[in-house]
């Protein structure tokens, strides 16, 4: 069975937010002053597992755990252990800011997690504080070292904001090349608390020019899938690769395969969706698997064509990124 929308897009990728809480306050993601959900409003690990058990037979095979900061959720490794054996789930990833990874990485690896995306925009202490309104760079770097030693496949995510990334792209690229991490830039999207302007986006072609000039020539990766969200490039000297998620300059809506479950049990068919549908009550009742499956199917069927970031029709969602799940 497949989850297919009215534009023929097949959905097999589920992003699960496990909390809206965060130990950073990245300016592009969330406001400084924020009221978090009460803990009782969050789905339990068992409820998340029930959702995945329903979604997998509908064709979902890939899961990403995110937030807020997912490692602020106590014992996240226990959720990983519940999800890994679900039939049909072939790929589980985690996106984290890395602050709390050190100390949890071994338990996560032991639970069956093999892939990590660690968000890190800069290797400069001052800019780290400016962007995230908190300290913590040393903890992130120590976490990366530990995760690397444990054998995780690691990608580094950096948001490309003009005025910042020009200073950081090259040091990040060199750091990733030295450590065997794949670097991924994400064009700055209008989903945070601050006023967004297109001019603040450092775009994919500018990133490529900068890296080719300062690091090494790049060529499209041979296994690059043009329908995938990230454009993939290999360095000509074969020392690593770079991905760019160009949501602004090259939106991937036409081939979007993602659905989302928020920490408070809402299903969303797009990061930028205005409507979401509640499944928490169903997840908290017995014998509701069929109704949950119907809800997911209907939500996917009703998906819009795309987010319209580049048109005057664009309307920002009421929730900011941390509360939806990145
Ligand atoms: N706290 C975790 C982290 O930072 O990795 C997981 C949640 S975070 C919302 C997921 C991803 O969204 C991060 O890589 C972050 O950089 C990215 N992100 C947040 N706001 C963004 C924005 N306005 N534009 C582009 N990416 C953004
Ligand atoms: Fe927290 Fe991640 Fe948002 Fe930064 S990007 S504020 S680390 S949720």
């Amino acid at each position: 069975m497949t989850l297919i929308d009215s534009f023929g897009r097949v959905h097999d990728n589920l992003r699960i937010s496990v909390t809206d809480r965060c130990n950073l306050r990245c300016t592009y993601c969330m406001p400084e002053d924020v009221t978090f959900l009460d803990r009782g409003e969050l789905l339990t690990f068992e409820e998340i597992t029930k959702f995945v058990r329903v979604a997998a037979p509908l064709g979902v095979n890939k899961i990403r755990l995110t937030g807020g900061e997912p490692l602020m959720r106590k014992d996240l490794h226990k959720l990983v252990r519940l999800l890994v054996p679900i039939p049909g789930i072939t790929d589980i990833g985690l996106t984290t800011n890395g602050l709390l990874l050190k100390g949890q990485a071994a338990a996560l690896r032991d639970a069956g997690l093999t892939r990590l995306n660690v968000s890190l925009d800069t290797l400069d202490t001052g800019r780290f504080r400016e962007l995230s309104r908190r300290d913590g760079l040393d903890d992130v770097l120590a976490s990366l070292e530990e995760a690397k030693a444990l054998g995780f496949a690691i990608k580094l995510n950096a948001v490309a904001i003009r005025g910042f990334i020009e200073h950081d792209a090259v040091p990040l690229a060199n750091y990733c090349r030295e450590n065997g991490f794949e670097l991924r830039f994400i064009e700055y999207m209008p989903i945070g608390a601050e006023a967004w302007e297109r001019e603040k986006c450092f775009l994919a072609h500018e990133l490529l020019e900068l890296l080719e000039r300062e690091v090494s020539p790049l060529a499209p990766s041979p296994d690059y899938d043009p329908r995938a969200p990230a454009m993939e490039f290999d360095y000509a000297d074969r020392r690593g690769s770079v991905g760019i998620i160009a949501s602004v300059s090259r939106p991937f809506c036409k081939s979007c395969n993602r659905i989302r479950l928020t920490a408070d049990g809402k299903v969303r068919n797009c990061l930028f969706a205005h409507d979401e549908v509640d499944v928490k009550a169903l997840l908290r009742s017995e014998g509701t698997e069929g109704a949950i499956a119907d809800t997911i199917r209907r939500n996917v069927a009703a998906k819009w064509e795309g987010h319209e970031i580049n048109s005057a029709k664009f309307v920002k969602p009421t929730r900011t990124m941390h509360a939806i799940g990145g």
Side-chain angles (χ1 to χ4, degrees):
M1 205 179 288
T2 51
L3 288 169
I4 188 156
D5 71 8
S6 63
F7 299 92
R9 294 172 295 197
V10 174
H11 290 66
D12 56 10
N13 187 321
L14 171 65
R15 297 172 91 87
I16 302 172
S17 173
V18 297
T19 179
D20 63 333
R21 280 166 205 262
C22 192
N23 42 4
L24 297 181
R25 292 288 182 280
C26 302
T27 53
Y28 49 74
C29 175
M30 66 189 287
E32 168 72 87
D33 293 317
V34 54
T35 309
F36 293 118
L37 294 164
D38 286 338
R39 287 184 203 278
E41 292 180 66
L42 301 182
L43 295 182
T44 64
F45 289 170
E46 288 69 27
E47 289 160 358
I48 292 172
T49 306
K50 177 173 172 179
F51 185 91
V52 176
R53 282 192 181 283
V54 172
L58 302 178
V60 167
N61 52 37
K62 196 169 176 181
I63 291 174
R64 174 156 299 277
L65 301 176
T66 181
E69 173 45 42
L71 295 180
M72 289 194 76
R73 190 75 193 257
K74 191 169 176 287
D75 294 334
L76 190 73
H77 62 94
K78 292 187 178 164
L79 176 61
V80 173
R81 206 174 279 284
L82 290 170
L83 298 179
V84 165
I86 295 180
I89 300 302
T90 54
D91 186 301
I92 303 181
L94 169 71
T95 301
T96 170
N97 64 28
L99 260 79
L100 300 174
L101 182 59
K102 195 169 179 295
Q104 296 193 43
L108 289 164
R109 189 81 175 88
D110 207 43
L113 190 74
T114 55
R115 297 197 307 103
L116 288 172
N117 283 32
V118 177
S119 302
L120 182 60
D121 303 314
T122 178
L123 296 172
D124 178 87
T125 312
R127 273 195 300 283
F128 185 97
R129 188 181 305 126
E130 204 178 331
L131 280 164
S132 69
R133 304 188 183 108
R134 298 287 186 274
D135 290 317
L137 177 61
D138 290 346
D139 290 330
V140 181
L141 294 177
S143 290
L144 280 163
E145 206 174 300
E146 184 170 303
K148 180 184 168 185
L150 286 164
F152 279 102
I154 299 173
K155 289 184 181 163
L156 238 66
N157 287 356
V159 181
I161 302 179
R162 195 178 301 283
F164 289 90
I165 203 69
E166 298 92 317
H167 307 286
D168 295 310
V170 172
L172 284 171
N174 289 331
Y175 170 76
C176 285
R177 274 152 64 84
E178 279 156 25
N179 284 284
F181 305 152
E182 181 178 336
L183 180 57
R184 282 197 148 182
F185 294 100
I186 313 174
E187 285 181 351
Y188 175 36
M189 296 182 285
I191 193 79
E194 297 215 315
W196 178 90
E197 292 153 36
R198 207 185 152 83
E199 291 65 43
K200 290 185 185 167
C201 303
F202 198 74
L203 299 173
H205 72 274
E206 300 177 275
L207 285 161
L208 289 174
E209 277 163 29
L210 177 61
L211 295 176
E212 292 219 314
R213 191 172 66 240
E214 305 281 337
V215 183
S216 156
L218 289 159
S221 302
D223 47 2
Y224 163 51
D225 173 0
R227 288 164 313 161
M231 301 188 284
E232 304 277 355
F233 301 88
D234 293 338
Y235 291 108
D237 62 9
R238 298 183 180 278
R239 286 186 51 217
S241 58
V242 176
I244 304 182
I245 303 186
S247 319
V248 177
S249 66
R250 180 187 158 277
F252 54 90
C253 302
K254 275 200 178 74
S255 52
C256 181
N257 63 355
R258 297 176 173 182
I259 56 171
R260 293 165 188 274
L261 178 65
T262 67
D264 55 346
K266 308 277 198 288
V267 181
R268 295 177 70 91
N269 56 25
C270 175
L271 177 59
F272 294 94
H274 299 295
D275 302 318
E276 39 185 39
V277 42
D278 186 72
V279 282
K280 186 161 57 184
L282 290 173
L283 287 168
R284 292 191 171 170
S285 311
E286 298 284 315
T288 50
E289 282 76 1
I292 295 168
D294 284 345
T295 306
I296 301 173
R297 265 194 230 105
R298 275 200 302 273
N299 188 258
V300 169
K303 183 160 173 159
W304 61 11
E305 192 173 1
H307 56 48
E308 302 279 0
I309 285 180
N310 295 302
S311 94
K313 285 191 242 163
F314 179 72
V315 181
K316 198 169 139 177
T318 46
R319 297 212 212 199
T320 51
M321 183 72 130
H322 79 285
I324 299 171

